[in-house]
Each structure stands twice: as structure tokens, then as C-alpha cells.
């Protein structure tokens, strides 16, 4: 069974800092990995999708890297803003060649002015 | 396209009642997923459809839960004889299959918040 761990569990930073959110997963035989953002009481918003053949994917101030062999992905947030406050979830697929997104508990981020 | 739509957004029900939720995926997305999320946890997979076929069910999906996707478009999730432990956010997601294969992006709806009293 795919197990997903995100570190840190929570993060509180002042506006303007560059951030690193870490994701590790146990089954590295994955097709892709997706990063999501979730605001309190809301659904998930897709941020980035990295294919297994890629090492990085960028969208605006967000950059996600994938090291499939070591079972790790990292989300970098540049110049953080209060509007970035949310829970960030990474989702590799499940085990055994599945492509069903599998989640850990996420990283809860607060960016204060 | 307006994205994945879920209805209702909120539902309060008494213990023992049946409830049904609806999910309308993004048009032409042949894959549809249901998840459950409790406070402080990530979404937990419940079940998955490819077109109208229910291909995978989690052990979390007890016999009180049933899901359907009769024409391969919208889906319903029914919970019978609700219990307080069923209180959670129920999330639906969809994704397409492309000629390049299954490595596609999943899109989520806003969820249905169920409270069992």
C-alpha cells in the first residue's frame, strides 16, 4: 500500500520567505505525482502535475521536483504571500501500477503579513 | 467547463437516515473517484469508476455505502443508516484518459460536508 508522508506537518512563516515542503512515498513505481492546495472547508485545487519522466515542473512562484528513485517530491514556494496560506497535499498514485491519487495528511501553511 | 460539481454542499441528517450525494464530473472525463476526508486528515480513497464500471472499492466502503455511475456521466454516493462516524467531507474527482495514457491530472469538486446528529 502506498504510504505518503509530508514534512513539516505545519509551518508558520512571515511574508516573503521562500519555502520548501517535503513529500515522501513508499512505492516509487509511479506514473506521476500531483500537488494540491486545500483551503479550509473547501475542495482540492490542482497546482502541479509531474510526470514520472520529468524532474521538475513550474507554475508561477511554485516549483515541484520529483526524485522517483528515492520516493521524494519537493514543492518550493518563492516569495510567500498571505494568500498562500492553505494546506498543501502531494498525491502519488497508489501501489501496484495504480493511478488513483493517494494522500498523506498534508502540510498546513500560514503566511503572516 | 465549470469543473467538477457536487451537490449538496452541506447535509445535516439524523442518525439512521439515508443520504445521497451527487457528483457531476468534467465533461468527457471517463474516470471518477470518491474520497472521504475527516478533520486534520488527507482524503481517503473510497471508490473509482472508469466510465460506468466500478473498478475499485476501498475497504472503507462498508456495505452501508453504495456508489453508482449509471451512464458513465454523473455519479451518486449513497450512505444507508448513517452513523455519527460518517460525518466527514465527501469529495469527488475526475480525470481523463488520453491517447498518451493514464498519466493525467485529477480535478476535485468542492465537496459535500455531511454532519450526522
Amino acid at each position: 500500500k502506498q504510504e505518503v508522508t509530508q514534512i513539516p506537518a505545519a509551518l508558520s512563516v512571515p511574508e516573503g520567505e521562500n519555502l520548501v515542503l517535503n513529500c515522501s512515498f513508499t512505492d516509487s513505481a509511479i506514473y506521476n505525482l500531483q500537488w494540491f492546495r486545500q483551503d479550509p472547508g473547501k475542495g482540492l485545487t490542482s497546482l502541479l502535475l509531474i510526470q514520472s519522466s520529468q524532474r521538475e515542473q513550474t507554475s508561477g512562484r511554485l516549483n515541484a521536483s520529483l526524485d522517483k528513485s528515492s520516493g521524494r517530491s519537493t514543492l518550493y514556494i518563492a516569495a510567500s504571500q498571505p494568500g498562500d496560506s492553505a494546506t498543501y497535499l502531494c498525491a502519488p498514485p497508489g501501489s501496484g501500477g495504480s493511478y488513483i491519487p493517494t494522500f498523506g495528511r498534508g502540510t498546513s501553511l500560514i503566511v503572516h503579513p | 467547463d465549470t469543473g467538477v460539481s457536487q451537490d449538496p454542499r452541506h447535509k445535516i441528517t439524523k442518525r439512521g437516515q439515508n443520504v445521497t450525494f451527487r457528483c457531476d464530473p468534467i465533461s468527457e472525463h471517463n474516470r471518477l473517484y470518491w474520497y472521504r476526508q475527516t478533520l486534520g486528515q488527507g482524503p481517503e480513497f473510497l471508490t473509482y469508476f472508469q466510465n460506468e464500471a466500478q473498478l475499485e472499492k476501498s475497504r472503507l466502503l462498508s456495505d452501508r455505502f453504495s456508489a453508482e455511475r449509471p451512464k458513465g456521466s454523473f455519479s451518486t454516493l449513497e450512505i444507508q443508516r448513517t452513523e455519527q462516524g460518517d460525518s466527514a467531507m465527501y469529495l469527488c474527482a475526475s480525470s481523463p484518459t488520453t491517447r498518451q495514457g493514464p498519466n493525467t491530472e485529477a480535478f476535485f469538486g468542492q465537496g459535500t460536508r455531511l454532519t450526522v446528529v
Side-chain angles (χ1 to χ4, degrees), chain B:
Chain B
D1 198 328
T2 57
V4 179
S5 177
Q6 292 190 244
D7 184 69
R9 294 291 307 278
H10 303 274
K11 178 72 177 179
I12 299 174
T13 190
K14 291 183 179 179
R15 190 174 53 181
Q17 298 293 305
N18 299 344
V19 294
T20 300
F21 309 141
R22 176 178 171 126
C23 171
D24 287 90
I26 293 172
S27 178
E28 298 182 358
H29 278 197
N30 59 342
R31 296 198 202 136
L32 187 146
Y33 316 84
W34 284 99
Y35 290 82
R36 180 177 72 184
Q37 186 178 28
T38 53
L39 199 62
Q41 304 294 317
E44 297 173 292
F45 169 73
L46 292 178
T47 190
Y48 154 66
F49 290 85
Q50 179 145 335
N51 301 311
E52 66 276 8
Q54 188 174 19
L55 296 186
E56 195 165 335
K57 292 195 288 186
S58 162
R59 282 173 290 181
L60 291 174
L61 212 67
S62 75
D63 56 5
R64 296 186 297 106
F65 288 69
S66 63
E68 294 183 342
R69 193 182 184 197
K71 295 183 180 179
S73 57
F74 73 91
S75 175
T76 58
L77 178 67
E78 181 183 16
I79 309 174
Q80 297 183 327
R81 305 181 302 281
T82 52
E83 302 172 355
Q84 287 189 322
D86 297 331
S87 295
M89 174 80 88
Y90 290 84
L91 294 161
C92 176
S94 70
S95 65
T97 299
T98 67
R99 287 203 186 109
Q100 286 73 37
N103 309 338
T104 58
E105 195 171 0
F107 295 89
F108 279 75
Q110 289 298 301
T112 294
R113 168 74 64 188
L114 173 66
T115 302
V116 181
V117 297

Side-chain angles (χ1 to χ4, degrees), chain A residues 2-57:
Chain A
Q2 180 76 275
E3 301 286 346
V4 181
T5 303
Q6 289 190 245
I7 294 173
L11 192 57
S12 179
V13 299
E15 182 176 6
E17 282 204 2
N18 298 327
L19 307 175
V20 177
L21 307 183
N22 296 295
C23 168
S24 61
F25 46 94
T26 53
D27 187 341
S28 59
I30 59 172
Y31 296 112
N32 57 31
L33 183 144
Q34 202 166 347
W35 280 91
F36 293 89
R37 166 191 173 132
Q38 186 174 31
D39 294 292
K42 304 291 186 183
L44 279 66
T45 300
S46 178
L47 297 173
L48 290 162
L49 173 73
I50 313 178
Q51 302 292 354
S52 60
S53 57
Q54 297 176 308
R55 291 193 62 85
E56 283 191 8
Q57 187 70 260

Side-chain angles (χ1 to χ4, degrees), chain A residues 76-89:
Chain A
Y76 301 90
I77 304 176
S80 57
Q81 302 172 358
D84 295 332
S85 299
T87 296
Y88 290 81
L89 295 144

